[in-house]
Amino acid sequence: MMNTRLIKLLFTCLLAAASGFASDGERPNIIVIMADDLGYADIGCYGCEDIPTPHLDKLAADGVRFTSGYVTWHMCGPSRAGFITGRNQSTFGYYKNASLPFDPKQGLPKLETVPSLLQKQGYVTGGVGKWHLGTTNDQHPNAMGFDDWFGFLSGGLMYWPLDHPAYNGKYNPLKRPAKWRDIHHTLPLVHNMEPVKREGYLTHELTDAGIRFLEKNKDKPFFLFMSYNAPHLDLEAPQETIAKFPADQMTKVPGVKPKDRSIYGAMVYELDQGVGRILDRVDALGLADNTVVWFLSDNGGMKRTSDNRPLKAAKGSSYEGGLRVPMIVKWPGQTPNGIVLEEMVTSLDIGATALAMAGGDPVRSGLHGQDIRPYLTQQSTAAPHDVLFWHTGKAPGPTGVMREGDFKLIVKEKGKAELYNLKNDLGETTNIAAAHPERVERMRARWMAWNKNNAPDLWQTPPNNVYQYADYEWLKGSQHYQSN
């Protein structure tokens, strides 16, 4: 008998053929906008009341919004490794954040990526913002499928230039040796292999770079990855924007200080304004009718800033608050306007669907997501996935998650597994494992069988090694450049 995946593939192909998906001359431009650490309930269309997000709300009104949109890990690095390669990152051993930016062992191995596959389909590929997938020349975005890259290669960046008065000289020069986080957040902005002098607020500069890419490549099919740093730490925004969000008027979120919520609100607002500028430029260039726009967060929101309710927990957790994210897509003329889709989808589906839209073959290319065009257009209401797997530990071993229909199993290396019925208990308040031992064992066995195909760690973080300097050309002029 045919397996379920093959049946779904054949059904998708038949639907695609019938509706003329990805026909010559109609291949859409593709924009993916990724926020960093955005809370599940911190957009208006997801229920947010204290932070206005009119542009993201309009994107949802003009497209579809997912309530079960997932990423492949609960923190930045592995989640982004999964998204950019279109493969579950545990299958190539990417289990943790790259903590030492100049350690050559940390980051992506040489793999085909979604942008490199789109290059082969004749797309020009651009990336803006956060990378966090390695800094060696072989790991640079230009070597991993991006024709044009403007951003930073580390896991975060200060939102103002390092000589900004607010820092009072804290970051330039750095103390020797510096903490790993300070190294990450003080790397230079780069345009491809050249350092760029910073001028203003980071979210503004990234939006400007995205607009420049659109204007330069408006006459070609393009893929643009807008990888915003916001609202990732540090908590920084223009004072005039923070003033729009008085601390005493912010939503009271358990564990979140009102002042932190205020600055976070300003950062999300600036992110939304950037999204609006990008979409306005797409429209002004006459590209809106043939441009697919996705929006998502790279993982759940931080517990010190974000509202992930009604989900449990936050970034770094295997509960829904770490893995389930806001996700929106607008495909003009194809997606219904303003509907909510409840079946589970994953960030891996974005790459697979984008490649299929471009005329490529996601299955032959080895991507792990599904081409979900029939579900997006509602030509099919069938769930794109009957099961999803995650490895959520920081090292190989029996730690992870499996969702099968409404049931979610959390597999633990130590201690008993947890089972939840998300349809009845979205907040994961009641562990029902004891009442369903047979289901637990069956699901656990299925997860263990999947886990056998996962790879060993790509790297071990070396002890007592700062990796504060490197001799890359794009570091010249920065405090981190040191010739070997």
Side-chain angles (χ1 to χ4, degrees):
M1 293 180 64
M2 294 187 195
N3 62 36
T4 302
R5 181 175 173 82
L6 182 56
I7 291 171
K8 284 184 177 179
L9 173 62
L10 291 172
F11 182 64
T12 298
C13 290
L14 288 171
L15 281 174
S19 51
F21 288 151
S23 59
D24 288 343
E26 297 180 358
R27 298 183 302 162
N29 305 309
I30 300 162
I31 299 175
V32 178
I33 304 171
M34 181 177 284
D36 195 341
D37 296 355
L38 178 66
Y40 184 78
D42 285 333
I43 304 175
C45 58
Y46 280 85
C48 186
E49 296 181 348
D50 59 342
I51 308 170
T53 54
H55 303 292
L56 289 170
D57 295 345
K58 186 177 188 306
L59 185 66
D62 293 341
V64 298
R65 176 171 67 87
F66 301 95
T67 59
S68 293
Y70 288 98
V71 289
T72 60
W73 214 62
H74 46 56
M75 292 188 75
C76 309
S79 172
R80 289 166 180 269
F83 168 77
I84 211 69
T85 62
R87 299 165 176 83
N88 194 302
Q89 67 281 350
S90 57
T91 62
F92 53 86
Y94 208 116
Y95 294 102
K96 49 188 174 285
N97 282 341
S99 59
L100 302 175
F102 302 134
D103 180 353
K105 296 179 181 179
Q106 297 192 28
L108 280 178
K110 192 62 179 175
L111 291 171
E112 197 83 82
T113 63
V114 170
S116 68
L117 290 168
L118 290 170
Q119 282 178 327
K120 294 179 179 179
Q121 297 300 317
Y123 277 59
V124 59
T125 57
V128 174
K130 175 173 173 173
W131 180 239
H132 201 193
L133 298 173
T135 61
T136 70
N137 290 335
D138 287 342
Q139 295 165 332
H140 190 285
N142 290 150
M144 302 298 280
F146 285 100
D147 296 308
D148 192 278
W149 178 269
F150 181 100
F152 51 97
L153 304 191
S154 50
L157 194 64
M158 306 309 297
Y159 285 84
W160 299 108
L162 298 183
D163 59 0
H164 193 276
Y167 299 144
N168 196 28
K170 179 178 178 181
Y171 297 110
N172 193 11
L174 284 177
K175 296 178 181 179
R176 311 295 198 252
K179 296 179 180 179
W180 67 268
R181 188 178 173 281
D182 289 339
I183 298 172
H184 264 284
H185 286 221
T186 57
L187 265 60
L189 272 178
V190 297
H191 184 204
N192 298 323
M193 290 289 184
E194 298 293 329
V196 175
K197 180 176 175 55
R198 296 190 57 186
E199 300 292 343
Y201 186 61
L202 180 61
T203 302
H204 299 168
E205 293 210 22
L206 298 183
T207 301
D208 290 344
I211 289 172
R212 289 194 296 270
F213 176 85
L214 294 173
E215 293 173 339
K216 180 180 178 181
N217 298 287
K218 63 183 185 297
D219 297 323
K220 313 166 190 174
F222 62 76
F223 168 75
L224 173 61
F225 179 37
M226 283 297 305
S227 178
Y228 281 105
N229 196 39
H232 184 280
L233 292 177
D234 279 2
L235 293 178
E236 298 178 327
Q239 287 299 318
E240 61 270 22
T241 310
I242 297 173
K244 299 177 186 289
F245 299 92
D248 61 355
Q249 296 180 24
M250 302 304 291
T251 295
K252 292 180 173 57
V253 183
V256 177
K257 296 178 181 178
K259 182 179 179 181
D260 288 350
R261 182 72 181 174
S262 168
I263 303 172
Y264 172 85
M267 296 169 76
V268 173
Y269 177 82
E270 289 286 3
L271 167 66
D272 182 78
Q273 293 295 299
V275 171
R277 289 182 59 208
I278 292 289
L279 298 181
D280 285 348
R281 183 59 62 182
V282 169
D283 190 45
L285 293 171
L287 303 174
D289 290 343
N290 194 39
T291 300
V292 177
V293 182
W294 293 83
F295 176 85
L296 74 161
S297 180
D298 63 347
N299 45 248
M302 289 186 59
K303 63 182 179 181
R304 65 166 285 192
T305 57
S306 308
D307 191 354
N308 293 313
R309 296 175 296 179
L311 308 180
K312 182 176 181 177
K315 172 183 179 178
S317 170
S318 294
Y319 295 113
E320 293 293 281
L323 296 170
R324 189 188 294 221
V325 298
M327 189 183 293
I328 301 166
V329 62
K330 173 189 173 185
W331 183 9
Q334 298 286 350
T335 48
N337 290 350
I339 70 167
V340 177
L341 299 180
E342 297 183 351
E343 301 293 349
M344 58 185 177
V345 296
T346 166
S347 58
L348 298 179
D349 297 334
I350 298 176
T353 303
L355 183 59
M357 287 176 169
D361 186 334
V363 176
R364 186 174 297 175
S365 300
L367 301 190
H368 292 163
Q370 296 283 347
D371 171 9
I372 62 171
R373 289 176 295 171
Y375 184 58
L376 296 181
T377 61
Q378 287 293 278
Q379 292 185 25
S380 170
T381 58
H385 303 272
D386 58 354
V387 64
L388 290 177
F389 298 98
W390 291 263
H391 192 294
T392 54
K394 294 185 179 180
T399 304
V401 174
M402 173 182 169
R403 181 172 169 185
E404 183 180 61
D406 293 329
F407 288 91
K408 174 181 174 181
L409 182 74
I410 298 179
V411 183
K412 298 181 177 181
E413 189 164 9
K414 296 180 180 179
K416 294 182 179 180
E418 298 178 24
L419 181 69
Y420 300 95
N421 184 328
L422 296 179
K423 183 176 182 179
N424 301 329
D425 182 21
L426 182 58
E428 297 170 287
T429 62
T430 305
N431 178 8
I432 59 174
H436 299 274
E438 292 182 359
R439 177 180 288 277
V440 169
E441 285 308 308
R442 181 181 59 76
M443 290 179 68
R444 187 176 186 279
R446 191 175 180 185
W447 185 90
M448 294 293 288
W450 169 81
N451 191 48
K452 288 180 180 179
N453 294 320
N454 289 328
D457 259 322
L458 279 170
W459 72 84
Q460 298 292 329
T461 302
N464 303 320
N465 203 331
V466 175
Y467 284 94
Q468 186 163 332
Y469 306 100
D471 62 351
Y472 304 129
E473 287 293 311
W474 54 268
L475 274 177
K476 282 188 174 179
S478 85
Q479 58 188 317
H480 298 293
Y481 180 78
Q482 183 170 288
S483 174
N484 289 329

